[in-house]
Amino acid sequence: MQINKAEYVKSCVRAEHYPTDGLPEMIFAGRSNVGKSSFINSLTNRKQLARVSSRPGKTQTLNFYNINDMMYLVDVPGYGYAKVNRSLKESFGRMIEEYLVERDELILGVLLVDYRHKPTQEDIAMYSLYKYYEIPTLVIGTKKDKVNRSQHKKQEKLIKETLDFDENDVFVAYSSETHEGREEVLEIFEDLIKQ
Ligand code: GDP
């Protein structure tokens, strides 16, 4: 799949604001600073599509991007900011769960984790949420260029073991610097949209 069109459409908090044209959707989640904006920009070959790192305390929304008039990429605010207060965390949780529960258009949950590290408690919670709602999941190990080739197998194993990875799901290591992993991810998207 080649991405010819990638356009911001709208930001939503509540279900009544989601797009109504029925295109399939993929949701992208990960802790702040994991490299999610860089990943979205690399994938869509745009420099500034996803704003880099939204700041804590700002209104948290689900951001919908139209990709090729074929699907929506749904960007979730990065979680795990220590400074985010509890009520914001609660509203964040409610917003995600409302989306995951209600959204028939959702065909893939993407979870970004740092390829260099063991997934955090919040990463585990997010993956579990996808599994609880039976959402097929793609786990992206970010910043692949920062991991020595000799460590690749070990890191993938650590990430999968920590997440209690479902073998029906897919793991791809990715570098937004070199775009390594890009073709593989775009192929996964294309196959899912066709189904
Ligand atoms: P976000 O908060 O998850 O959206 O993370 P950003 O995309 O803003 O990235 C956080 C930091 O990690 C930035 O300094 C990026 O330049 C850096 N970064 C993101 N992806 C990669 C990558 O694949 N390789 C390297 N070397 N750095 C990356």
Side-chain angles (χ1 to χ4, degrees):
M1 167 167 145
Q2 268 219 328
I3 296 186
N4 305 313
K5 172 176 175 174
E7 259 178 35
Y8 168 77
V9 176
K10 60 176 359 190
S11 297
C12 307
V13 177
R14 307 292 311 276
E16 60 261 36
H17 301 136
Y18 301 160
T20 53
D21 48 11
L23 291 179
E25 293 174 359
M26 303 187 189
I27 185 169
F28 287 53
R31 69 171 174 73
S32 304
N33 226 29
V34 72
K36 183 155 59 67
S37 312
S38 304
F39 173 69
I40 292 171
N41 292 335
S42 157
L43 206 60
T44 54
N45 203 13
R46 302 292 192 280
K47 283 204 178 71
Q48 281 281 5
L49 187 66
R51 278 168 301 125
V52 170
S53 303
S54 55
R55 297 279 156 249
K58 276 182 76 174
T59 314
Q60 300 202 307
T61 54
L62 301 174
N63 300 321
F64 288 73
Y65 297 88
N66 178 319
I67 306 294
N68 288 355
D69 292 325
M70 286 167 71
M71 60 171 267
Y72 286 110
L73 183 165
V74 184
D75 185 20
V76 174
Y79 50 75
Y81 251 119
K83 284 184 191 147
V84 171
N85 65 37
R86 193 146 43 99
S87 72
L88 208 57
K89 273 190 179 163
E90 281 168 12
S91 60
F92 173 85
R94 261 202 310 276
M95 181 175 75
I96 304 274
E97 283 215 67
E98 183 180 23
Y99 178 84
L100 296 180
V101 174
E102 297 231 345
R103 202 56 175 160
D104 293 338
E105 286 83 348
L106 178 62
I107 59 170
L108 184 72
V110 180
L111 173 66
L112 292 99
V113 299
D114 193 319
Y115 197 30
R116 298 169 297 178
H117 306 301
K118 189 175 169 170
T120 65
Q121 283 306 316
E122 282 158 316
D123 294 331
I124 298 169
M126 191 66 222
Y127 185 74
S128 306
L129 205 55
Y130 283 154
K131 293 307 89 185
Y132 181 77
Y133 290 110
E134 300 180 339
I135 298 155
T137 303
L138 167 65
V139 176
I140 298 291
T142 62
K143 311 186 187 182
K144 184 180 187 182
D145 55 285
K146 291 194 173 186
V147 177
N148 201 297
R149 196 161 289 278
S150 65
Q151 301 294 305
H152 286 182
K153 275 216 173 87
K154 183 172 144 258
Q155 287 312 107
E156 181 171 338
K157 187 161 176 274
L158 174 69
I159 289 166
K160 286 182 168 176
E161 277 176 4
T162 309
L163 293 177
D164 192 16
F165 191 76
D166 178 337
E167 285 306 328
N168 295 314
D169 287 339
V170 181
F171 176 86
V172 176
Y174 197 99
S175 168
S176 299
E177 294 279 311
T178 66
H179 309 297
E180 204 181 335
R182 190 161 179 258
E183 294 312 313
E184 197 179 342
V185 170
L186 291 176
E187 225 166 88
I188 292 168
F189 286 7
E190 187 171 9
D191 287 348
L192 275 171
I193 293 171
K194 273 197 221 142
Q195 279 173 19

